Amino acid sequence: MRQVPETSMKTEMPLSKPIRRFLTQTEELLDTEISLLRQPEAEPGGTLVDKYTYDMDTNVIIFPAQYVGLLKDFIIAKHCTNLLIKGAATEKRDYKIVSYTEDSVYSGLRQIYIDALKDEAKKEKKLPVQKLIQMLFILFSQFNDDINELPWNAIMNASVYHRMPKIRKTQLYHIMKESKNDMDEMIEHESIIPRRYFVLDKAMFYARDMFLAKTLPADELMPVLNIPQMKKFNHLEVKEMLTTRWTHTAWYQSKVFGDNMLAIIDKPLGQVNWKVDEPTLDYYYDLYKVGVLVTDNLVSYMTMRDWYVWEPPRHLLAAHEKKEEYEKNALKKIFGDLITDTWEDSGS
Amino acid sequence: MALKEAIELLKKGHAYAKRTKYKEALGYYNRALSLDPRCAEGLFLRASIYIDTGKYKEALEDCDKALALNQNYSDAWSKKALALYHLERYDDAIVASTRAASLNGNDVNAWYIKGVCLDEVGRSDEAQEAYGRSLELEIILDIQAESKKVRK
């Protein structure tokens, strides 16, 4: 069981009317309890610790201490939606996420290594072998995390946008912030990561952003928001804001991958009816199935089908426990006995 | 001398409150207030503990006492608004949060509570205005918190 740190503060906190209703509806639909927790070091996007993933009786939504008003409300709305999707799938005995096995780790690491060698052959300044070996599993894990997060992020945002019109401006700020963080991720490792994976990872986030820009077109941040740091986006619509940003990244030249991924995300999500009056658990189960389809299609597009497996959440938790063993065995299979010394030298 | 001692006790209590050790914090605040019953800050701090432990009526009483000592104590108005919100006295909470926000325009909590309570009584347009101001301030706080993280 994942423990909630003792330093956290749990209080009855004020909530705006639509969020309070949504929270109650979520608890009633799932016949469960949701606790809210404010933590100084919480992730900017908040965290959901839920009974469908971890061995625990309740669910906790954790958010940063500085979120005292609508930012907190948005995080709650987003994670309640996520919880409903997970709960609905669990109810149907079908809740699975993208996990990995010893064999799939080998497939992934081997593929990344082959691609890395192709990149290295073109480089004047070669990457030290040690660094290259370390990079393999880190990159594999990164894609595992991202593929488990990204399609659901798009679904949650689209759902909240349609269900909670009163917090749209808050949502827009949050999306802008999240997009910036995701855009910056990996940038510092650009020279180490094989080009193909750098491009694919950025393409996923670009596609997510462009899907959201298309889904959330109506509102502008101005004139209600009057914040110096947001001035550069003055009078721009969401799509313009996000496109402007992406065009300023070095990645943009490879945007064809992002456009293809946008089509992959957009096709199934474009058919969802987001405006159902009284969504039932069956509705959220349908959202789950759409998320699975998007995930599958993205994995196929990135030719990572043999890297990952669909399994219940506890499988992934168990896989995380064994990740060092999986990594070590995969590296042994790829490099033979040569790896033993390198592994021991690196202190792993 | 007693006043100085009361301030020290309040500081100790506050240190406990920050670590969510409410019982200990309350003990120090009570001792401070027995030395100086007219300490508005002590009453405000005790009201905060009462809010955090769900004792909203007691919180309201302390806020009122603090405000009787200092009518321009913006934090006490803000805390009073929060206590009134929890007691579902939305109209009174609107008055208190409006006063808090007029004394301190940068009080994000006051603007948010005002928005929530206006929404509760069906004054949606006014609620949106209050939410708008609350969001602006919250975003500024968020940007500051993120910059601090980067500097660390």
Side-chain angles (χ1 to χ4, degrees), chain A residues 98-204:
Chain A
V98 176
S99 184
Y100 53 86
T101 62
E102 187 167 337
D103 286 345
S104 79
V105 169
Y106 166 69
S107 301
L109 265 50
R110 185 172 175 275
Q111 188 58 52
I112 298 171
Y113 178 59
I114 291 167
D115 289 323
L117 285 184
K118 285 181 205 161
D119 271 26
E120 287 300 301
K122 293 178 212 155
K123 281 184 192 169
E124 272 184 29
K125 197 181 167 198
K126 310 283 182 203
L127 191 65
V129 177
Q130 193 91 327
K131 242 184 173 173
L132 191 144
I133 290 170
Q134 279 173 354
M135 177 268 294
L136 302 177
F137 191 74
I138 293 172
L139 196 56
F140 176 88
S141 293
Q142 183 70 51
F143 273 93
N144 182 231
D145 291 345
D146 289 345
I147 202 68
N148 267 326
E149 199 265 332
L150 190 123
W152 307 106
N153 181 297
I155 290 173
M156 284 185 278
N157 269 300
S159 178
V160 169
Y161 177 78
H162 289 290
R163 305 210 71 79
M164 306 274 156
K166 284 187 178 171
I167 55 170
R168 281 180 185 171
K169 290 190 192 305
T170 316
Q171 180 173 18
L172 286 173
Y173 167 73
H174 203 276
I175 287 171
M176 298 304 292
K177 183 180 162 184
E178 196 168 36
S179 156
K180 179 83 175 74
N181 289 342
D182 292 336
M183 203 180 279
D184 291 344
E185 199 180 69
M186 277 194 188
I187 294 284
E188 58 187 294
H189 305 298
E190 191 183 348
S191 59
I192 302 171
I193 297 166
R195 184 77 190 150
R196 168 184 156 75
Y197 297 103
F198 182 76
V199 167
L200 286 177
D201 194 71
K202 292 295 123 198
M204 272 199 287

Side-chain angles (χ1 to χ4, degrees), chain A residues 35 43 51 60 79 84 103 105 124 163 195 200 208 244 264 311 317 342:
Chain A
S35 306
E43 290 290 316
K51 68 176 194 177
V60 188
H79 288 301
L84 281 162
D103 286 345
V105 169
E124 272 184 29
R163 305 210 71 79
R195 184 77 190 150
L200 286 177
R208 188 264 324 256
T244 304
I264 289 170
E311 290 287 349
L317 296 178
T342 317

Side-chain angles (χ1 to χ4, degrees), chain A residues 236-275:
Chain A
L236 288 178
E237 282 219 350
V238 188
K239 185 162 187 180
E240 291 173 277
M241 284 192 264
L242 291 170
T243 310
T244 304
R245 254 194 201 162
W246 278 103
T247 52
H248 284 82
T249 65
W251 172 87
Y252 199 67
Q253 55 188 290
S254 319
K255 95 181 214 4
V256 62
F257 293 96
D259 290 336
N260 291 340
M261 287 197 195
L262 172 60
I264 289 170
I265 292 176
D266 198 23
K267 202 177 167 192
L269 294 191
Q271 290 166 14
V272 171
N273 177 10
W274 301 105
K275 294 174 185 170

